[in-house]
């Protein structure tokens, strides 16, 4: 069933944590709280979330992404976990399988941010894609598994004066959603300032 927006510019977000052990109850999931907490700080526009905690099974991941986009009508889906080189890490494969278009800049920038901290960032295989149906489109982005890494890749890096040194990927998300026909999303500039060309900025009354 399609989610109902409270108004035209409410963002509908799917949050997916992918982990065999967390979904099986072996330990507490940290992915969903990490995503939720960051969005709560970063979003200025209203938004609603639809959360899923699932195992590292490609068919399950594919079904979940399709459900969130096609059935619920999410404008944005953020996944966390399952993006490394281990055999059970199949999130990128599942994401690409349901995509209609790939957005390689998201994965490139996430690795660039993470390389500021750890050389093993080159092992990350996160992807960004668009999934389109006849009347809807959504942006799907794979994020790292740890809350600290989620924040770093979404938010970017700042210097001691607070100036952005390396841009986080979320700065480009609102304009991307706008371009594919989604709502006009505004962010909290103190956390992550959204970038749009001047011609795409909505006039304020």
């Amino acid at each position: 069933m399609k989610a109902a927006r409270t108004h035209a510019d409410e963002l509908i977000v799917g949050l997916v944590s992918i982990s065999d052990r967390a979904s099986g109850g072996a330990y507490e999931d940290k992915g969903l709280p990490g995503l939720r907490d960051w969005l709560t700080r970063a979003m200025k526009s209203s938004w609603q979330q639809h959360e899923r905690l699932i195992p590292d099974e490609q068919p399950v991941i594919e079904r979940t992404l399709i459900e969130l986009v096609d059935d619920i009508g999410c404008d944005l889906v953020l996944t966390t976990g399952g993006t490394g080189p281990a055999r059970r890490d199949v999130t990128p494969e599942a994401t690409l399988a349901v995509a209609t278009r790939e957005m390689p800049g998201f994965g490139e920038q996430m690795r660039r941010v993470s390389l500021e901290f750890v050389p093993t960032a080159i092992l990350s295989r996160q992807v960004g894609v668009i999934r389109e149906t006849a009347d809807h489109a959504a942006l799907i982005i794979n994020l790292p598994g740890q809350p600290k890494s989620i924040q770093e890749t979404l938010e970017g890096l700042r210097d001691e004066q607070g100036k952005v040194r390396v841009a986080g990927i979320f700065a480009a998300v609102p304009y991307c959603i706008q371009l594919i026909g989604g709502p006009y999303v505004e962010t909290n500039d103190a956390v992550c300032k959204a970038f749009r060309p001047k011609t795409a900025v909505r006039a304020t009354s």
Side-chain angles (χ1 to χ4, degrees):
M1 181 181 294
K2 293 284 187 184
R5 300 182 198 271
T6 58
H7 59 78
D9 284 326
E10 182 177 45
L11 183 70
I12 302 175
V13 185
L15 303 178
V16 185
S17 183
I18 300 162
S19 168
D20 286 333
R21 288 178 291 173
S23 64
Y27 64 72
E28 182 181 2
D29 173 61
K30 296 182 179 179
L32 291 174
L35 292 169
R36 191 189 316 121
D37 293 348
W38 190 86
L39 285 169
T40 299
R41 291 191 300 110
M43 290 291 292
K44 184 176 179 181
S45 299
S46 70
W47 61 288
Q48 59 173 279
Q49 77 263 23
H50 298 265
E51 300 182 356
R52 302 289 186 272
L53 175 59
I54 59 175
D56 284 288
E57 298 285 353
Q58 184 167 343
V60 176
I61 300 169
E62 290 180 21
R63 287 197 301 269
T64 300
L65 297 178
I66 291 171
E67 176 212 2
L68 289 169
V69 176
D70 298 17
D71 300 338
I72 293 176
C74 291
D75 309 295
L76 172 67
V77 178
L78 301 176
T79 75
T80 175
T83 61
R87 290 189 178 187
R88 295 289 295 173
D89 291 335
V90 293
T91 301
E93 285 76 16
T95 303
L96 291 169
V98 304
T100 51
R101 283 187 286 171
E102 189 174 356
M103 303 291 288
F106 285 104
E108 293 166 3
Q109 186 65 10
M110 281 189 277
R111 284 180 281 276
R112 181 185 172 199
V113 172
S114 296
L115 278 167
E116 297 283 332
F117 299 97
V118 290
T120 50
I122 60 174
L123 303 179
S124 298
R125 301 185 304 114
Q126 295 106 308
V127 299
V129 306
I130 292 172
R131 176 173 172 82
E132 297 164 302
T133 66
D135 59 356
H136 181 65
L139 175 63
I140 305 173
I141 303 174
N142 302 153
L143 294 168
Q146 297 300 317
K148 182 175 184 293
S149 298
I150 291 171
Q151 176 180 335
E152 290 164 355
T153 53
L154 290 170
E155 197 168 318
L157 308 177
R158 297 176 184 265
D159 61 21
E160 293 179 355
Q161 287 71 44
K163 184 178 179 180
V164 175
R165 183 163 63 88
V166 181
I169 62 163
F170 205 83
V173 167
Y175 185 47
C176 182
I177 292 172
Q178 185 178 348
L179 286 172
I180 62 176
Y184 189 90
V185 177
E186 296 183 281
T187 60
N188 178 356
D189 289 357
V191 178
C192 180
K193 184 174 182 179
F195 177 82
R196 289 180 173 90
K198 290 182 180 179
T199 54
V201 176
R202 180 180 293 177
T204 56
S205 56

